[in-house]
Amino acid sequence: MQNDFSSPFQFKSDNFFLYESVRILDPSQALSGWIIIVVCVKGTMQVQVDGKTYTFQRNDMAFALTDRTLESLMISPDFEGRLLGCSRQFVKQNFPNSATIWHKALYLYQNLIVHLNDKVACDLERSYCFFKEMVVRNDLLYYDDIMRCLTQALVFHLASALEHIIDSSEIERGIQSKDLLCREFLNLLSTTRPRPRAVAWYSERLHKTPKYLSTAVKEVSGKTASEWIQEMVVTEIAELLRNSSKSIKEICDE
């Protein structure tokens, strides 16, 4: 566990990280093994995610899974942001299999940036400040339990806020089995190394036929299962070619 009480604030443990400067993170490693939320407090940041360019401004929030390739293009001198990360293992162990929660996560994954109004941003900033105050208190007797509860409260607070921000037609799709199946497929795809190329491998583990799985994933996410597999494999290969010391032959073998 490490933390630095000088400005800007930074904290990292096995389960969490909180950074108040995006410059602390190496863009090529920022998402490795983590699920993160980024909120812009002021200034402007321009990034490229999976080859697409996005601009963050005040009160913009982004949600990122570990399969995305991030490159920082431009950060204004006055940029201030909040970066909160949770390990996948922590999320898996401590969050319920709630379709309403995961549907919002899928929406954020697809759209990347959501703009928060001033009231929501202010409320979340207060929650964040309390979380920040407690996360460094590893002297607390029930530290792990406290952090689990605080993280759950922060995520549910955020989900409640998004209920009033995301277009109602998106939210009112309701709790559907296809939403859950798509989420389970994306989770399996992003956590399996090396990634099998055949849809049948995933459908067998999710107890569905390849055709049903691909149709359900297409309906929920806009891409078929095969397209998701191909996109993630290509993204991972590109990342290895840019940042790995492995040879092209080693990458091909892997």
Side-chain angles (χ1 to χ4, degrees), residues 97-159:
N97 192 20
S98 166
T100 54
I101 294 292
W102 289 109
H103 174 65
K104 291 181 178 67
L106 180 60
Y107 176 90
L108 292 175
Y109 178 87
Q110 293 169 329
N111 294 274
L112 189 68
I113 296 178
V114 171
H115 184 74
L116 310 175
N117 61 45
D118 287 340
K119 182 180 184 305
V120 169
C122 186
D123 286 346
L124 289 175
E125 176 70 6
R126 283 195 292 267
S127 295
Y128 165 80
C129 288
F130 183 67
F131 186 91
K132 170 184 169 181
E133 179 183 341
M134 299 302 292
V135 76
V136 298
R137 293 286 310 278
N138 57 332
D139 60 313
L140 295 172
L141 182 60
Y142 301 106
Y143 179 83
D144 290 341
D145 294 324
I146 291 171
M147 294 315 304
R148 183 184 68 252
C149 292
L150 286 179
T151 306
Q152 290 175 338
L154 189 61
V155 168
F156 284 119
H157 185 180
L158 176 59

Side-chain angles (χ1 to χ4, degrees), residues 38-50:
V38 184
V39 178
C40 176
V41 176
K42 68 177 181 178
T44 302
M45 177 174 69
Q46 192 175 73
V47 298
Q48 191 173 74
V49 180
D50 295 343

Side-chain angles (χ1 to χ4, degrees), residues 233-248:
V233 169
V234 169
T235 298
E236 185 174 16
I237 290 173
E239 181 68 17
L240 288 171
L241 288 172
R242 278 197 299 267
N243 299 295
S244 175
S245 60
K246 296 178 181 178
S247 68
I248 293 177

Side-chain angles (χ1 to χ4, degrees), residues 223-234:
K223 300 177 185 177
T224 65
S226 293
E227 288 171 335
W228 274 110
I229 295 168
Q230 182 178 356
E231 181 177 305
M232 288 198 180
V233 169
V234 169

Side-chain angles (χ1 to χ4, degrees), residues 27-253:
S28 67
Q29 301 297 323
L31 305 183
S32 179
W34 297 86
I35 297 172
I36 73 169
I37 292 173
V38 184
V39 178
C40 176
V41 176
K42 68 177 181 178
T44 302
M45 177 174 69
Q46 192 175 73
V47 298
Q48 191 173 74
V49 180
D50 295 343
K52 296 180 181 179
T53 301
Y54 298 87
T55 300
F56 290 81
Q57 296 179 321
R58 181 176 176 270
N59 289 355
D60 283 346
M61 183 190 73
F63 171 85
L65 299 178
T66 57
D67 60 299
R68 315 199 83 159
T69 302
L70 170 67
E71 295 180 25
S72 176
L73 300 181
M74 184 277 292
I75 304 174
S76 67
D78 64 336
F79 181 85
E80 183 180 342
R82 308 282 185 255
L83 287 84
L84 293 81
C86 284
S87 69
R88 278 188 174 274
Q89 187 62 26
F90 180 87
V91 171
K92 184 177 180 180
Q93 291 176 346
N94 293 288
F95 284 90
N97 192 20
S98 166
T100 54
I101 294 292
W102 289 109
H103 174 65
K104 291 181 178 67
L106 180 60
Y107 176 90
L108 292 175
Y109 178 87
Q110 293 169 329
N111 294 274
L112 189 68
I113 296 178
V114 171
H115 184 74
L116 310 175
N117 61 45
D118 287 340
K119 182 180 184 305
V120 169
C122 186
D123 286 346
L124 289 175
E125 176 70 6
R126 283 195 292 267
S127 295
Y128 165 80
C129 288
F130 183 67
F131 186 91
K132 170 184 169 181
E133 179 183 341
M134 299 302 292
V135 76
V136 298
R137 293 286 310 278
N138 57 332
D139 60 313
L140 295 172
L141 182 60
Y142 301 106
Y143 179 83
D144 290 341
D145 294 324
I146 291 171
M147 294 315 304
R148 183 184 68 252
C149 292
L150 286 179
T151 306
Q152 290 175 338
L154 189 61
V155 168
F156 284 119
H157 185 180
L158 176 59
S160 176
L162 290 177
E163 193 77 20
H164 305 289
I165 296 171
I166 299 175
D167 186 84
S168 60
S169 64
E170 294 288 337
I171 297 174
E172 289 171 1
R173 293 170 62 191
I175 302 175
Q176 300 178 14
S177 60
K178 290 180 180 179
D179 292 314
L180 290 173
L181 178 61
C182 182
R183 196 268 300 176
E184 289 170 356
F185 165 72
L186 291 175
N187 184 59
L188 183 61
L189 177 60
S190 63
T191 56
T192 303
R193 296 291 189 279
R195 291 190 176 97
R197 305 293 186 89
V199 175
W201 186 90
Y202 300 92
S203 65
E204 180 180 349
R205 282 150 184 80
L206 296 171
H207 309 291
K208 305 293 181 183
T209 66
K211 182 178 180 180
Y212 181 83
L213 174 62
S214 194
T215 300
V217 171
K218 172 74 172 179
E219 182 178 322
V220 173
S221 70
K223 300 177 185 177
T224 65
S226 293
E227 288 171 335
W228 274 110
I229 295 168
Q230 182 178 356
E231 181 177 305
M232 288 198 180
V233 169
V234 169
T235 298
E236 185 174 16
I237 290 173
E239 181 68 17
L240 288 171
L241 288 172
R242 278 197 299 267
N243 299 295
S244 175
S245 60
K246 296 178 181 178
S247 68
I248 293 177
K249 183 181 184 304
E250 289 175 319
I251 292 172
C252 289
D253 291 340

